[in-house]
Amino acid sequence: MVPAQYYLLLSAAVFCIGLFGVLTRDNALYFLMSVELMLNAANINFVAFSLFWGNLTGQTFALFVIALAAAEVAIGIGIILVLYRNFGSVSVTDAATMRW
Amino acid sequence: MSAVSIVNAAAAAPLQVVLPEWTAIAPVLILALTGLLLLTIDAIWPGRNGNTTFAFVSALGSLAALTVTVWYLVAGTGQVGGSITLFSEAIVVDGMALFFTAIFTSVAALVVVASHDYLAGHENAASYYSLLMFATLGMALMAVSNSLATVFVSLEMASLPSYALVGFLKKNRGSVESSLKYFLIGALSSAVFAFGISLVYAVTGSLLLSEVAAGFDDGVAGFAGVAGIGVLMIAGGFAYKTASVPFHFWAPEAYEGAPAPISAFLSSASKAAGFVVAFRVFSTSFMPLLDATPAIDWALAFAVLAVVTMVLGNFAAATQENVKRMLAYSSIGHAGYALIGLAALTAGGPHNGDVMGAAMAHLLIYGFMNTGAFLFIAMVEYWGVGRTFEDYAGLSTKAPFASLAMAVFMFSLAGLPVFGGFFSKYALFASAVSAGFWWLAAVGAITSALSLYYYSRVVKALWIEQPNGNLDAIDSKPTGLYAAVIFAAVATVLLLPGFPIALETAEAAASALFA
Amino acid sequence: MTTDETGTSNSGSSLVPGLAAVALFVVMAVAIVQSSFGTAVTFPEGESIVAHIGYAMFDLQADMGTIASEGFLAAFLIIAVGLDVAVDGALFLAKREEEGSIVALLTDGGRELLDTAEASTEATTEEASTGTDTPDSTDTTGGSR
Amino acid sequence: MAFEYVPAIVLLPFLSFVIALFAGKYLPKGGALAGIAATAGSLLLSIWAFLTVRSQGAYQETIYTWASGFGEQPWELTFGVLIDPLSAMMLVIVTLIATLVHVFSLGYMNDEGETGLPRYYAGLGLFTASMLGFVVADNLLMAFMFFELVGLCSYLLIGFWFREDGPPSAAKKAFLVTRFGDYFFLIGVVAVFSTFGTAAFVGAESFPVLAEEAVAGDVTVNTFGFDPTTWFTIVGLLVLGGVVGKSAQFPLHTWLPDAMEGPTPVSALIHAATMVAAGVYLVARMYGFYAVSPTALAIIAFIGGFTALFAATMGVVKREIKQVLAYSTISQYGYMMLALGAGGYVAATFHLMTHAFFKALLFLGAGSVIIAMHHNENMWDMGGLKDKMPVTYWTFLAGSLALAGIFPFSGFWSKDEVLYEALIHGLGGSPLLLGAYAMGLLAVPVTAFYTFRMVYLTFHGEPRTDTARNPEPVRWNVKFPLSVLGVLAVVAGLVNMVPVQKVLGLEGIDYLHQWLDQSFDPLTAHHYAEVSPYSSGYIGGEATTVLVGAAVSLGLALAGLLLATYLYNVAEPTEHTAKLGAIKDVLYNNYYQDEFQVWIANRTQSVASVADTFDQGVIDGVVNGVSSVSLFSGSRVRRIQTGVVTNYAALLTLGLTALLLAFGLLGGWFL
């Protein structure tokens, strides 16, 4: 069996790639996709350690995380839609009028 | 129901009514049913201008939930004879859950009553009230969550409707922008939170809070790094919900741009919801880590965050021109005070229950005074007077009672003696000192002294400065808003004599977690 | 999605903030590499994982099956309502409202601070004032005052 | 039973606050009559309570317990009243002066056609009520709460004329500076609770008693690892922070001169009986706690002595009559602190009482002059008012003689006792006290000098402006309070003629000593004397010391007075004659001004100017600096909120990474 650390390294890498996307892309949709990637990094851990510990808690919970990600996207798309109607773009840097 | 009832008490006296065990989550069920009822009404009679109907149903629902919660609190449900667990221990009902459910439902009731005027002439009242009820439901679920799985799911359940509510004014750019920021930071934070949970699962193999604690009992040797990252990421998820540094960035914008009743709701109830899970998770699951070797000293991490949060929130608030944004920053500062409830915990410390109880009592009083302050802002927005301190000048000439209420809120938030806010801050700082964290109390005292400066600016504008001619727009008295503001003020004042009871309840509830 | 080309947004912006993600990865990687786990338990042979996930989801894991798990019925019920809520919120947000026009911001945007800012911070001031002018907005920032 | 009505003493002025606030505009005189009735009622009740203490002894009762059961030591947070000789005396003083200030306000505010009178009288009512609540408080926490309320009311009253530029900023400054001291006080209160588990002033379990027993080693309290005496010194100094702020002691005195922007009757109330007195009263109230700590006492004495001298020198150069009085207040409270620090509990209380009378008198007299001068406060525009307003003149003169410490006016007796205590305890082996004594002694001639400079410039000589030639007349409502206080300023010293007793050997005329000895056992004057770390030393015998001390201070006072007479008791005083236009007869020539006199004048003025510059520049600068640094850093802090959400994400990530790194290194996760 593959050592547990490898799964952790993989998930950390996926998490940070997602985070990298969040930090460097202005498009709100990319932001959303990157967050999905980060959530799936968590899922890697859940599934991998479900096997490691020999219980199904992690695998089952991963399904819930996926479902929640879907719910989050639903709301997120709605907000981005409204953003586009108001600001004429889906760039997160355009909506920056409130500050300080 | 004249007899005092104890739900599922093992040793119930013959005369008492014993309810089935599942009824312990009745407040949650009432909120869920209310939300679903609102959706059903809207589906059956679409298009009716139902603002009043919806407001009435929501107010009734949240008040019913509040009544049941208070009844359970008084009757000792989940307190006498230990907590009640349901759904394979995923759900727990105890004193702390009920205490916080009381906060959420009373804030929700105030906000619903105030929203009736605020929403006059708006479409989509059904969506507004149902989302509000569902958000409250999510918070109530957070209070009863006893597993990291339910914690995560119910936290999302509270967040999702909140995103939509912040953007409720779809054609107002401020509202939309704040909704976007709230959502994006929220999504990012929940990803961090989920990853933290996955790491904790990786090292303990379980999600139930008690099982996680058992998994940590043997120490974390060999995987301290993974466990530590997991714990701190979970702390990050709570920091987001409670608007604490460095996950606070969404808060000033979200509170400023959102409709003011929603700002009131988020800054009081949502923050308290973040604290209830943080209190439960850290006190139940992560206490063994504090004296493990190598140590994962999350209490120190919370202490650092508390200090930075208090300082940043209060300093930034002191220089604001926009009253609503000032309150937003002050709300960040108050998150810092409540964080003391976690920061001053020590492994096996005799004062743990006092410290956390004092933080809970502070959140209760904060729930009323902060909601009231934001609802006053809602009233001013309703009149269209303006947003800066200058715009508020002389409002007492037009609305003396509301302005008096606002003065009560401001002085109470600042922690001036003679209002509820002083007692709760005092109890908090005093318990921190007795737990040995005098420096946290010192930072708290100094920042609240600074806070008095900016809070008194509002009172000065309202009562001392002369109106500058923009108050002619005030031609109506929004009854619901007035009622909510006055009620919140009365509650703030009544919590002065009632404070000992509140504190006692909170400390008993908190101590039960450490027993 | 053509908004990347709107020009006003600094799309394809610098990768510098991404360094934070890299730094986080380094910290996590070091911690992970230094950790050591025991031997894996793994699942028993010949059991249906999918069926057991089903049991776990409805709190039947205690009565049926052999693979250990925690019960997820509560989470299942919560998420059932949660998905309803998401649809409710998303539909509300997506619904196009015909009447009314986009309301400009009533926010201060730090303008007051700019007015009082010291001359020494001119660079910041300039950057800030360009930021306040959002594209194609009838900018009435602070118009209520 | 008088004691059952004690809460009413506090509640009556509060009632007048409520009435004035909500119904003031419908009442004649804007609520003044309600205020007068309420404070007069409180005065009568206070006198009754005073007499009852005299016949039945002190009294303490817990009225309301609002929180209990913190931690394993159950804490009781209560409201209660403590009526002992000290608080009974203070009640009478506060209510008397509050009543007179209300009456005077009829002349100063109503007759002058001021607007916003309900707000004014509401403020006065709340101010009085807060101070009375503070006086009767039987525990430190309750005292703190009313102490804060006093500060809040001063903010409202000093900023009464909020439309002008000066008052709002003066009010803010008073509020912020005293709040700054109160931070320390608050921490001190919490420290007292966590050390002793109680904040009660009186009783076997009160914190001064416990402190005394802890030092003696009879009980153990939680001193956080410090030696008990060290820890009590720290706690005492924390509480002292609030005292220094409220009683305007160096270096937190800067708010007080600015507070002159408020209406003059308010100044009288603040300086004589309420806000500034609160600080000194607090030290006296918990004197048993300070008495166990020699270090704290020495610091108090030194702060007091220095403040007395420092503020007095600044009073010399002021042009406005109220500014002179402001600095004299700071200086006189310095004397009280000196007395407390030197172990002179009775002397401090004595000076607190006489000062309350003559300073209220002087402020109300100044108010009368200001009415007459159409609100011009510049003394150089006055002169010759003596004949136009005799009542004001004679009462003001009585007050001035008392302030300058001239025999046999009240100030002489109390100031002499203050200096005497510092002297004998200094001689008894505390050289530090001798330094404080020297400063207090040096302040005596300066005080006499600026006091009589003020008197001469205002009342003597020729009128220097048209207004001074035709002053506006004042009515009974001004003259009546002046007369009452004038009598008291003359005779109040007779209650405690210790020097006479010591020199002539007459027993039993030290009434105040006897009075303050009638309290609960640990709160008596002789108990404090036993606890205090000082022993007494004498020059020759006791009587000789008394005589020498009195003679020196009286001689210095007379010297200052004579110098002022020499310089300013002229028709057209000093250099400024050239600038005054219409001069008919230059009587000025009759007084030969030689080089010596100019030299003296220049020297005094330049020392005072240096002190003044230091005060305005450095102290003010630091105080203003703290507040502007706070605001400036606030305006920087808020800028990290850039408005761009990706920046937030980046900062969030960085914050998380930094946290992980720091705690990883701290906890050794990376090993």
Side-chain angles (χ1 to χ4, degrees), chain B residues 323-324 326-327 330 368-380 387 389 392 395-396 399-414 419 454-463 482 485-486 488-490 492-493:
Chain B
V323 182
K324 203 175 174 189
M326 180 278 281
L327 277 179
S330 98
F368 284 103
M369 59 196 183
N370 186 60
T371 306
F374 270 109
L375 291 182
F376 182 84
I377 308 268
M379 200 185 299
V380 176
R387 304 189 148 211
F389 284 97
Y392 279 52
L395 258 181
S396 61
F401 287 103
S403 302
L404 187 67
M406 186 64 170
V408 169
F409 300 139
M410 290 294 108
F411 286 141
S412 188
L413 280 168
F419 290 112
Y454 58 80
Y455 288 127
S456 62
R457 274 176 81 193
V458 179
V459 179
K460 190 171 137 235
L462 290 177
W463 284 95
Y482 247 97
V485 167
I486 298 297
V490 169
T492 308
V493 172

Side-chain angles (χ1 to χ4, degrees), chain D residues 349-626:
Chain D
T349 315
F350 188 25
H351 199 53
L352 184 62
M353 177 188 79
T354 58
H355 175 261
F357 295 139
F358 66 71
K359 188 49 63 72
L361 168 63
L362 287 173
F363 265 108
L364 296 186
S368 169
V369 168
I370 290 167
I371 297 174
M373 292 295 297
H374 298 283
H375 290 260
N376 181 351
E377 299 181 11
N378 190 338
M379 293 188 295
W380 293 105
D381 293 342
M382 300 176 187
L385 292 173
K386 181 171 66 163
D387 306 325
K388 309 285 191 345
M389 32 198 338
V391 176
T392 306
Y393 172 66
W394 287 109
T395 51
F396 197 88
L397 187 63
S400 301
L401 288 165
L403 172 60
I406 306 296
F407 182 86
F409 292 87
S410 56
F412 165 77
W413 301 100
S414 56
K415 191 184 289 183
D416 185 59
E417 189 168 351
V418 169
L419 291 173
Y420 174 74
E421 294 280 352
L423 177 63
I424 59 165
H425 291 145
L427 289 173
S430 307
L432 201 63
L433 276 187
L434 284 180
Y437 170 74
M439 290 194 286
L441 200 61
L442 267 181
V444 169
V446 184
T447 307
F449 177 78
Y450 70 67
T451 307
F452 278 87
R453 169 177 175 267
M454 170 176 74
V455 172
Y456 292 137
L457 286 179
T458 308
F459 291 100
H460 287 228
E462 289 290 305
R464 289 184 291 276
T465 54
D466 288 339
T467 331
R469 266 183 285 283
N470 294 302
E472 188 177 320
V474 294
R475 297 174 51 209
W476 68 271
N477 46 31
V478 170
K479 292 175 189 164
F480 168 70
L482 286 178
S483 314
V484 173
L485 290 169
V487 172
L488 285 170
V490 177
V491 303
L494 304 182
V495 301
N496 202 31
M497 292 185 291
V498 180
V500 178
Q501 169 171 329
K502 296 226 165 107
V503 175
L504 299 184
L506 287 173
E507 282 305 318
I509 58 168
D510 54 344
Y511 301 109
L512 192 67
H513 275 269
Q514 297 167 20
W515 169 247
L516 288 172
D517 242 3
Q518 293 182 21
S519 188
F520 287 110
D521 184 34
L523 297 184
T524 55
H526 75 262
H527 178 79
Y528 292 149
E530 286 162 14
V531 178
S532 90
Y534 299 118
S535 51
S536 307
Y538 300 103
I539 307 169
E542 192 177 15
T544 325
T545 319
V546 169
L547 281 178
V548 169
V552 169
S553 69
L554 186 60
L556 285 171
L558 285 173
L561 194 161
L562 289 175
L563 182 64
T565 313
Y566 191 41
L567 289 179
Y568 294 105
N569 190 14
V570 293
E572 298 298 336
T574 68
E575 311 90 358
H576 297 267
T577 43
K579 294 172 198 156
L580 294 166
I583 300 167
K584 288 173 277 181
D585 298 314
V586 188
L587 293 169
Y588 161 78
N589 289 329
N590 294 350
Y591 297 90
Y592 182 70
Q593 293 207 318
D594 60 7
E595 286 296 313
F596 172 72
Q597 179 184 338
V598 173
W599 184 83
I600 289 285
N602 286 341
R603 283 300 160 275
T604 19
Q605 299 251 340
S606 65
V607 169
S609 298
V610 168
D612 199 43
T613 314
F614 180 67
D615 187 53
Q616 303 289 329
V618 181
I619 305 290
D620 252 16
V622 170
V623 171
N624 293 337
V626 169

Side-chain angles (χ1 to χ4, degrees), chain A:
Chain A
M1 168 156 181
V2 188
Q5 286 96 317
Y6 289 20
Y7 293 110
L8 284 172
L9 269 184
L10 172 67
S11 70
V14 173
F15 184 83
C16 290
I17 289 169
L19 190 57
F20 190 88
V22 164
L23 296 180
T24 52
R25 305 311 292 259
D26 289 340
N27 189 314
L29 289 165
Y30 281 127
F31 198 112
L32 218 51
M33 290 189 232
S34 305
V35 169
E36 293 300 304
L37 208 54
M38 294 167 73
L39 283 171
N40 281 319
N43 284 340
I44 293 175
N45 282 341
F46 282 125
V47 176
F49 281 88
S50 185
L51 183 65
F52 180 86
W53 289 104
N55 68 38
L56 277 174
T57 306
Q59 281 204 45
T60 318
F61 187 58
L63 294 177
F64 285 91
V65 174
I66 293 168
L68 268 181
E72 211 166 72
V73 169
I75 292 277
I77 296 287
I79 290 174
I80 293 172
L81 207 59
V82 182
L83 176 79
Y84 184 73
R85 286 190 199 136
N86 274 268
F87 288 86
S89 88
V90 295
S91 165
V92 295
T93 48
D94 284 352
T97 47
M98 280 184 286
R99 56 180 160 178
W100 294 344

Side-chain angles (χ1 to χ4, degrees), chain B residues 114-204:
Chain B
S115 298
H116 180 249
D117 291 311
Y118 197 86
L119 281 193
H122 268 281
E123 295 177 57
N124 303 317
S127 299
Y128 180 91
Y129 289 110
S130 59
L131 289 171
L132 194 61
M133 282 301 110
F134 284 127
T136 317
L137 168 64
M139 295 169 192
L141 284 168
M142 285 163 83
V144 296
S145 294
N146 198 30
S147 146
L148 288 174
T150 37
V151 164
F152 182 69
V153 174
S154 54
L155 195 144
E156 289 298 307
M157 169 91 191
S159 293
L160 294 177
S162 306
Y163 302 144
L165 282 171
V166 168
F168 184 76
L169 306 172
K170 281 193 283 180
K171 297 194 169 170
N172 178 320
R173 286 196 166 158
S175 179
V176 173
E177 180 187 330
S178 56
S179 168
L180 177 81
K181 288 177 177 172
Y182 186 26
F183 169 70
L184 292 181
I185 299 294
L188 179 62
S189 304
S190 68
V192 171
F193 188 49
F195 198 75
I197 293 178
S198 76
L199 292 182
V200 168
Y201 176 69
V203 294
T204 60

